[in-house]
Amino acid sequence: MTTFLLSAHVVVAIIAVGPVTVAASMFAPAVRAALRDPDDARAVGVVSTLHRICNVYAAIGITVPILGFATAASMGVLGDPWLLTSIVLTGVAAGVLALAVLPGQQQLLNVIGTRAAAVSARNVAVASGLFSLLWTVVTVLMIVRPGSTTGV
C-alpha cells in the first residue's frame, strides 16, 4: 500500500503542482506583454489561459497533501522533522497561491489596459517566485529526507 500511495502522491504532485508552478511563473511576463498592447486579443487570451491553468490545477493539487499524509502515515514518518517542515512549507505555499497569486492574477485580468496593472504585475511576479521557491524546497526535502531512517 505504501508504494501505491507514494506513487500516487508523486504522480499527482507532478501533474498538478508542476503546471501551476510553470503557469504562475509565465503569468507576469504574459501580463507585461498584454499591458504593452491591451488591444492584442492573443496576449490577453494567453494571460487568461495561464490564470485558468493555475486555478484548475490548484484545485486538483489539493489531493497532493491528502495523499502525502496517507503516505507518511503508512511509512510511519508523520513526526519526522523533514516531513513537518515540508507540511509547514506546503501550507505556506498554498497560502501564497490562494491569497496572493490567484487573486493577484484575477485583479490583473480585470485591469489590463490601466496603469494600475504594472504595480500589480510586479507583486504577482514576486508571489509566484515565492510559490515556486517554496515548492522547490518541499521537493528537495521530499527527496533528501534529512534524518530519515525509512530507506525508501
Side-chain angles (χ1 to χ4, degrees), residues 26-85:
M26 293 173 63
F27 188 87
V31 159
R32 287 186 197 103
L35 290 173
R36 283 191 294 275
D37 186 5
D39 296 324
D40 181 357
R42 182 178 180 277
V44 174
V46 167
V47 171
S48 179
T49 300
L50 290 171
H51 178 60
R52 192 170 344 141
I53 290 168
C54 288
N55 272 315
V56 169
Y57 284 93
I60 296 167
I62 292 169
T63 60
V64 174
I66 293 168
L67 289 166
F69 275 112
T71 303
S74 75
M75 293 172 66
V77 296
L78 278 173
D80 286 9
W82 65 269
L83 183 66
L84 297 174
T85 302

Side-chain angles (χ1 to χ4, degrees), residues 9-147:
H9 173 64
V10 170
V11 167
V12 174
I14 291 167
I15 290 171
V17 178
V20 173
T21 304
V22 172
S25 69
M26 293 173 63
F27 188 87
V31 159
R32 287 186 197 103
L35 290 173
R36 283 191 294 275
D37 186 5
D39 296 324
D40 181 357
R42 182 178 180 277
V44 174
V46 167
V47 171
S48 179
T49 300
L50 290 171
H51 178 60
R52 192 170 344 141
I53 290 168
C54 288
N55 272 315
V56 169
Y57 284 93
I60 296 167
I62 292 169
T63 60
V64 174
I66 293 168
L67 289 166
F69 275 112
T71 303
S74 75
M75 293 172 66
V77 296
L78 278 173
D80 286 9
W82 65 269
L83 183 66
L84 297 174
T85 302
S86 294
I87 290 168
V88 169
L89 292 175
T90 297
V92 172
V96 168
L97 182 65
L99 301 174
V101 175
L102 296 176
Q105 288 178 348
Q106 185 60 57
Q107 286 177 333
L108 283 165
L109 281 170
N110 295 339
V111 297
I112 286 180
T114 69
R115 294 203 179 266
V119 173
S120 296
R122 189 171 345 144
N123 295 342
V124 169
V126 169
S128 297
L130 177 60
F131 173 75
S132 297
L133 176 64
L134 289 165
W135 277 118
T136 300
V137 172
V138 169
T139 301
V140 170
L141 283 171
M142 291 290 152
I143 295 167
V144 175
R145 297 183 326 258

